[in-house]
Amino acid sequence: MRNSTMKSAIWIFVGTMLGLAGCGKPAPNPGVEGGSTAGNSVSAGKKFKIVYIPKNTGNPYFDDIINGFKKAGDELGYQFSTAAPATADATSQLPFIKQQVQQKVDAIAISANSPDALKPALLEAMQRGIKVISVNSDLPKNEDARHAAILPTDFNAIGSSQIALMSELIGGTGDFAILSATTDAPDQNFWIEGMKTALKDPKYKEMKLVEIAYGNDDPQKSLTEAQALLIKYPNLKGILAPTSVGIAAAAQAVETANAKGRVQVTGLGTPNQMRRFVQNGTVQKFALWSPFDEGYLCGYLIDGMLKGSIKPSTGGLFRAGKLGDKKFGDKNSIITGPSVVFDKSNIEQYHF
Ligand code: RAM
């Protein structure tokens, strides 16, 4: 399948059909790119300017969100660009937000590196009439600093499903560590809280979370952290990395240390980055959703908001191109689709 948006329903039948295959080929480098110019804006010839600010550059995960924005832009006619800092520090996106406000963009979509550090800048953008959408996570406790949020999947289910995966792989018993992104990451922190809650279930009483390490979504730092975990905890049974950068680094560390089979690695990753490790047995299973669909959905949401045809309100429905009808949930957050578990039996069907 080509790089197209899949209907959410397709996601549910993991491994039984083409599903996400071909969804979102990574662009070479997120950086700053001029985007879609095709299509016709319906708004009296004005092309709306939409910018997307990912957490950082150099992460293929965000390339797929970018590809989704571009596809929707081709269909709807908005002008798309993207700009991001080199590192995912809490405040690294601040100058990028300010710059976009100065450039008078119509909308800023952002995958924030902090739930609160960007608040004043985002509020200022909103006060200047710019639509602000949090995409790929929300801004917990600071939802007033964005008009709406696009979530990749049901955030409340991620923590428990990740723990269930880890438990399955280590037979429900033993020490494991979490390798996360940054200490401020709103998405990972939300999911880790969910993991801690899930671990209170008596069925996980034999599992022990020994440490939460942070690789800052930097491949080298993540690798170093994963290697340190392997040395520090000789009895470690598993590394759970709810970040596509972290899980690839953890798999690399386990492979290099010849710890395949002794230390299980799972979490959230892209099929393209994890394929080799699944094929050679270093990683048995991991999960993700469609970053491409998130960008596509966000493009439709913002375009509709700018044209006045979509007004965020809980319970409200809107049509998001090939994704069909989407619904505003609690605090104007929208869930893109279900997540998928990848393993040897289905990974060949996915190319993103
Ligand atoms: C990394 C980023 C991103 C997260 C994925 C799963 O690419 O931290 O925010 O959603 O992992």
Side-chain angles (χ1 to χ4, degrees):
M1 279 180 102
R2 56 186 282 272
N3 180 2
S4 64
T5 304
M6 307 299 147
K7 282 225 180 253
S8 303
I10 293 175
W11 282 73
I12 295 165
F13 304 105
V14 179
T16 58
M17 56 188 71
L18 291 175
L20 305 172
C23 179
K25 274 206 194 91
N29 187 347
V32 179
E33 310 176 18
S36 315
T37 49
N40 297 308
S41 172
V42 296
S43 172
K46 175 178 161 42
K47 267 190 186 290
F48 292 118
K49 284 194 270 179
I50 299 178
V51 66
Y52 169 51
I53 307 178
K55 283 179 167 179
N56 59 346
T57 53
N59 180 349
Y61 178 90
F62 295 113
D63 293 343
D64 255 315
I65 296 184
I66 289 167
N67 289 335
F69 270 110
K70 287 181 175 174
K71 176 81 172 119
D74 287 342
E75 292 172 10
L76 296 165
Y78 56 72
Q79 188 184 320
F80 175 74
S81 64
T82 175
T87 62
D89 310 335
T91 56
S92 63
Q93 291 162 311
L94 272 178
F96 290 83
I97 298 170
K98 288 179 181 160
Q99 189 188 29
Q100 296 302 323
V101 170
Q102 271 164 17
Q103 290 179 2
K104 297 194 167 54
V105 292
D106 297 294
I108 296 174
I110 186 162
S111 300
N113 283 318
S114 161
D116 44 33
L118 310 174
K119 186 171 183 172
L122 295 176
L123 285 175
E124 192 187 333
M126 290 169 77
Q127 275 152 16
R128 292 185 185 222
I130 295 171
K131 304 290 183 209
V132 174
I133 308 295
S134 178
V135 59
N136 196 50
S137 70
D138 208 336
L139 305 171
K141 300 202 177 84
N142 292 294
E143 291 88 354
D144 56 329
R146 90 310 184 253
H147 291 102
I150 299 281
L151 304 179
T153 193
D154 178 2
F155 263 33
N156 293 316
I158 295 179
S160 58
S161 59
Q162 289 276 288
I163 291 297
L165 261 180
M166 186 84 266
S167 170
E168 187 189 332
L169 292 171
I170 64 173
T173 173
D175 293 355
F176 76 102
I178 291 174
L179 176 61
S180 189
T182 58
T183 52
D184 281 314
D187 42 1
Q188 276 88 11
N189 283 350
F190 191 100
W191 305 331
I192 289 170
E193 282 312 306
M195 292 177 196
K196 287 179 180 166
T197 304
L199 282 170
K200 290 184 185 147
D201 190 314
K203 69 182 170 191
Y204 299 128
K205 64 179 188 310
E206 305 293 330
M207 283 170 66
K208 188 172 169 217
L209 172 59
V210 290
E211 183 170 334
I212 303 174
Y214 296 90
N216 295 348
D217 269 355
D218 172 75
Q220 187 54 49
K221 164 99 169 127
S222 301
L223 181 62
T224 308
E225 291 293 329
Q227 287 167 335
L229 288 171
L230 294 178
I231 292 166
K232 193 166 166 192
Y233 303 100
N235 294 325
L236 200 68
K237 289 275 203 63
I239 299 178
L240 175 50
T243 141
S244 58
V245 180
I247 189 176
Q252 179 69 60
V254 166
E255 185 182 58
T256 310
N258 280 325
K260 176 166 104 180
R262 180 165 60 81
V263 180
Q264 301 292 333
V265 173
T266 193
L268 300 170
T270 68
N272 282 356
Q273 287 173 286
M274 300 307 292
R275 191 176 325 278
R276 184 171 76 77
F277 300 114
V278 170
Q279 279 163 347
N280 73 18
T282 307
V283 173
Q284 291 185 39
K285 291 178 177 196
F286 66 98
L288 199 69
W289 40 75
S290 170
F292 179 92
D293 282 359
E294 282 188 79
Y296 182 87
L297 173 57
C298 195
Y300 266 82
L301 169 66
I302 292 175
D303 187 78
M305 286 171 67
L306 290 169
K307 288 172 181 163
S309 58
I310 299 175
K311 298 205 190 321
S313 91
T314 300
L317 283 174
F318 67 94
R319 185 157 273 271
K322 290 170 191 162
L323 288 176
D325 286 341
K326 286 288 159 186
K327 192 177 190 172
F328 286 101
D330 192 30
K331 298 179 183 140
N332 293 339
S333 65
I334 303 151
I335 293 173
T336 307
S339 57
V340 175
V341 174
F342 304 98
D343 62 17
K344 230 176 209 164
S345 74
N346 67 358
I347 196 160
E348 289 309 332
Q349 298 164 28
Y350 301 97
H351 299 279
F352 65 100

